[in-house]
Amino acid sequence: MKVSLHVNGKSQEIDVADPSTPLLYVLRDNLGLHGPRFGCGLGQCGSCMVHVDGHATFSCVLPVTAVGDRKVTTLEGLMEGGKPSKLQQAFIDEEAAQCGYCISGMVMQAQALLNKTPNPTDDEIRRHMEPNLCRCGTHAAIMRAIKRAAVA
Amino acid sequence: MTLRRVVLTVVVVGILVALGGYALMWRPAIAPVATSAKAHVDRKAIDHGAELASIGNCADCHTSANGAAYAGGRPIPTPFGTIYASNLTPDGETGIGSWSEEAFKRAMRDGVDREGRQLYPAFPYDHFTHATDADIHAIYAFLMSKPAVRNAVPANDLASPFSFRPIVAGWKLLFLHRDALEPDSTKSAEWNRGRYLVEGLGHCGSCHTPRNALGGEKRDRAYAGGVVEGWNAPPLNASLVTTHKWTVDQLAEYLSTGWHRLHGAAAGPMADVAKNLGRASQDDVRAIATYIASLSPGAEGAKALVPAGGKVLTDQPADVVAIYNGACAKCHNDRHDVGPSQAISLSYSTAVQQPQSANAVRVVMHGIESYRTDGGPYMPAFAGILTDAQIASVVQYVRARYTDQPQWTDVKSQIAKARQEGVQP
């Protein structure tokens, strides 16, 4: 069946066999957007996180047919004029990645926070970032990156 | 009688009850004691008090979000306005540091603070009347052993006339019963212990017994289920709709871990109850389970069991089925309870089987996220993933597929309420 999606500012039409296909699979497999990653597939780890109408959302438990006309933004969609956004650059500058698997989701979750709260406290950052897991223990660097982007 | 006379009679009776109550319930101030004068070193009493405070779930109300344990300040929503839980740490000025054990005991049983002011019955002294002197001594020793935290609690925000404290005296005259719990020699010691804890410190009826318009528990409908903070506190008696009758073993496991594969996960206000019971004496938890299981005798096999995989439905809209398959069935599938989410079969779920949609809607919208700090079952919050209309249609789909009950009629209003409540801490 045909599904139209609004992703990173563009409307696209995609053919899916199963209407319950997760948005994540369509982003990666049909649209070649490899920012969001498959981690647990159960909405537990946050590595698949994208924005749906500005809300940080697990794309692995959102069926593509349920997106409707809501606007989807992936890590790629944060780029500004072909360059990393302020927050993405802050992650690069702070080397806030070890294996890097969780980072796309971390950036999306953090961006959602900064959109609402441009200068969050440490406590607000910790609470807001709770849904996103990092097995490497990069949390301190991630905190620094978010704060760097907040004040920059 | 004319309406005028009825109104007049009600007003006069109300005033008499309030005045009579105040006269009867008036208590003098108890002299303050110096904090240093109560250097409790009775380690045994402190440890026992900690376990009893876990059974009483004291920390849940008396700790604010991100605040120090027992330092109070948490807003407690009631139908009459917001009450702020008091600071139970031994701080001399803002806590109960200047309270003697006598003053503490009086507060627990009579609902009066050290200075003689009436305490609102959001503090369940109507249950603590049953607590023994020894248990109150242990809880007092435990609280006095906590670090003193200076935290001035905000003033209550109650509508008139409830903001006038002496009115509580009238309430007590009507609803504060002081009848003793005589041991029932026909029952086991474990059952009697359980009853003592459930009726007393555990104050289970505070949520699980319906309340009347004045906030008193309806004693003739004990454990028939209530509503607390928007959540439905299911019945603990035989009126509970369930596909498996609760056994003592199941209750003991659920109460101490917050999860049972044949019933579901403790969520909403019950999540903290289970978290605290996990820290209590497990013999006591078993006693509680023994007593609660006895409240629903003969419920075995009373309800038709929908198969674990649900019914086969052919008349459901494809878009709703797609949402169920893509969002819910990732975890709620035929490997149901063994996955990392501990997702149970939805036909076993208490939330899905209840006549009200309050809990099903809230679990879907707020998720079960306490696992991040406490372990246990997990469910993502779908409030930001699905739209309100999608949530409404998928919970009704679950209701149709996994129960023999009629469709819910309160889904839309519950979703709107849950949106207002925001994400649970």
Side-chain angles (χ1 to χ4, degrees):
Chain A
M1 66 185 288
K2 292 244 187 286
V3 182
S4 48
L5 275 186
H6 194 281
V7 181
N8 296 337
K10 268 191 294 186
S11 283
Q12 321 225 22
E13 199 154 272
I14 297 111
D15 217 1
V16 289
D18 178 352
S20 72
T21 306
L23 170 64
L24 173 66
Y25 297 2
V26 171
L27 293 174
R28 290 183 59 88
D29 300 343
N30 298 57
L31 302 179
L33 296 167
H34 294 170
R37 302 208 171 92
F38 182 93
C40 63
L42 305 171
Q44 287 194 5
C45 75
S47 66
C48 68
M49 208 153 244
V50 300
H51 291 180
V52 177
D53 271 358
H55 297 285
T57 301
F58 300 118
S59 63
C60 71
V61 289
L62 174 56
V64 65
T65 47
V67 178
D69 50 16
R70 293 184 284 170
K71 293 180 171 58
V72 178
T73 308
T74 68
L75 182 75
E76 292 85 347
L78 293 187
M79 301 279 281
E80 290 161 358
K83 286 196 182 129
S85 70
K86 191 199 280 180
L87 178 63
Q88 288 170 319
Q89 190 59 49
F91 269 75
I92 295 166
D93 293 341
E94 292 292 345
E95 300 182 0
Q98 212 169 129
C99 86
Y101 205 84
C102 70
I103 291 304
S104 162
M106 291 283 182
V107 171
M108 299 311 287
Q109 184 73 281
Q111 188 63 57
L113 171 65
L114 295 177
N115 289 349
K116 272 191 309 189
T117 314
N119 254 309
T121 62
D122 284 11
D123 221 38
E124 284 172 322
I125 296 174
R126 280 196 195 96
R127 248 180 300 148
H128 182 87
M129 299 302 291
E130 241 181 27
N132 294 63
L133 308 184
C134 165
R135 296 282 313 254
C136 303
T138 318
H139 305 82
I142 292 169
M143 284 284 290
R144 282 201 306 273
I146 297 170
K147 287 165 79 170
R148 185 183 186 116
V151 295
Chain B
M1 272 204 289
T2 61
L3 180 68
R4 215 183 121 107
R5 264 166 176 258
V6 173
V7 170
L8 202 67
T9 309
V10 168
V11 168
V12 168
V13 169
I15 290 171
L16 285 177
V17 166
L19 287 176
Y22 194 58
L24 275 170
M25 300 295 167
W26 183 83
R27 298 287 183 277
I30 293 179
V33 288
T35 320
S36 56
K38 299 184 271 74
H40 281 273
V41 284
D42 184 353
R43 191 70 238 178
K44 253 177 116 172
I46 291 171
D47 289 349
H48 188 48
E51 289 197 332
L52 294 170
S54 293
I55 288 174
N57 198 32
C58 313
D60 190 17
C61 284
H62 289 281
T63 306
S64 66
N66 306 304
Y70 296 100
R74 176 175 162 188
I76 310 294
T78 78
F80 313 102
T82 303
I83 289 173
Y84 291 87
S86 42
N87 179 347
L88 301 187
T89 72
D91 181 56
E93 268 178 60
T94 64
I96 59 169
S98 66
W99 291 34
S100 62
E101 185 170 328
E102 212 41 47
F104 181 72
K105 191 189 295 175
R106 185 177 72 172
M108 288 283 282
R109 297 222 186 104
D110 287 2
V112 174
D113 75 1
R114 186 191 64 73
E115 292 149 291
R117 293 184 312 159
Q118 301 290 329
L119 294 169
Y120 288 103
F123 171 43
Y125 46 78
D126 49 340
H127 288 272
F128 299 159
T129 48
H130 298 306
T132 62
D133 285 355
D135 282 357
I136 292 179
H137 167 76
I139 294 171
Y140 179 75
F142 164 67
L143 289 173
M144 290 301 141
S145 76
K146 304 292 291 179
V149 178
R150 201 182 162 75
N151 181 34
V153 166
N156 295 331
D157 181 15
L158 293 166
S160 182
F162 309 108
S163 50
F164 183 60
R165 273 188 190 268
I167 204 172
V168 174
W171 186 93
K172 289 179 184 172
L173 209 56
L174 296 169
F175 304 118
L176 181 59
H177 307 281
R178 297 173 194 276
D179 33 350
L181 277 182
E182 296 300 336
D184 183 341
S185 58
T186 67
K187 300 278 180 22
S188 67
E190 195 170 45
W191 183 92
N192 276 291
R193 172 74 181 158
R195 184 178 65 154
Y196 166 74
L197 293 170
V198 167
E199 303 290 348
L201 290 173
H203 67 281
C204 307
S206 289
C207 293
H208 291 277
T209 294
R211 290 176 183 270
N212 60 33
L214 292 173
E217 288 179 25
K218 295 180 179 169
R219 296 185 108 202
D220 56 333
R221 297 191 57 215
Y223 302 112
V227 174
V228 55
E229 293 173 31
W231 292 77
N232 171 30
L236 304 183
N237 62 18
S239 69
L240 176 73
V241 183
T242 177
T243 52
H244 295 83
K245 177 181 152 48
W246 282 97
T247 65
V248 174
D249 283 345
Q250 290 168 9
L251 272 164
E253 182 182 334
Y254 172 81
L255 290 172
S256 55
T257 66
W259 182 82
H260 195 283
R261 67 182 189 88
L262 300 179
H263 298 277
M270 192 63 198
D272 278 327
V273 175
K275 185 165 101 183
N276 281 317
L277 286 175
R279 296 168 181 154
S281 145
Q282 293 309 293
D283 287 344
D284 277 350
V285 172
R286 199 165 174 86
I288 290 170
T290 303
Y291 177 67
I292 291 179
S294 78
L295 297 174
S296 53
E300 293 102 310
K303 308 289 175 334
L305 176 63
V306 176
K311 292 183 275 191
V312 179
L313 303 175
T314 51
D315 56 347
Q316 298 291 315
D319 56 337
V320 180
V321 177
I323 292 172
Y324 178 82
N325 288 337
C328 315
K330 292 274 174 200
C331 297
H332 294 285
N333 54 39
D334 55 3
R335 291 170 286 114
H336 44 88
D337 51 16
V338 297
S341 308
Q342 293 180 249
I344 65 162
S345 160
L346 291 173
S347 65
Y348 301 162
S349 162
T350 303
V352 173
Q353 296 289 344
Q354 292 319 290
Q356 308 86 350
S357 71
N359 294 4
V361 162
R362 279 168 181 75
V363 166
V364 170
M365 291 180 72
H366 303 322
I368 298 173
E369 305 219 303
S370 52
Y371 101 106
R372 296 191 198 289
T373 44
D374 305 312
Y378 169 76
M379 177 157 157
F382 281 93
I385 300 176
L386 299 174
T387 66
D388 287 0
Q390 289 168 343
I391 292 167
S393 57
V394 83
V395 297
Q396 291 288 26
Y397 172 81
V398 167
R399 179 80 168 167
R401 178 167 168 182
Y402 292 98
T403 77
D404 284 329
Q405 312 291 329
Q407 289 277 283
W408 282 308
T409 54
D410 60 345
V411 170
K412 275 201 179 125
S413 62
Q414 288 296 344
I415 290 175
K417 276 189 209 158
R419 281 267 175 227
Q420 279 182 348
E421 291 156 14
V423 175
Q424 302 291 301

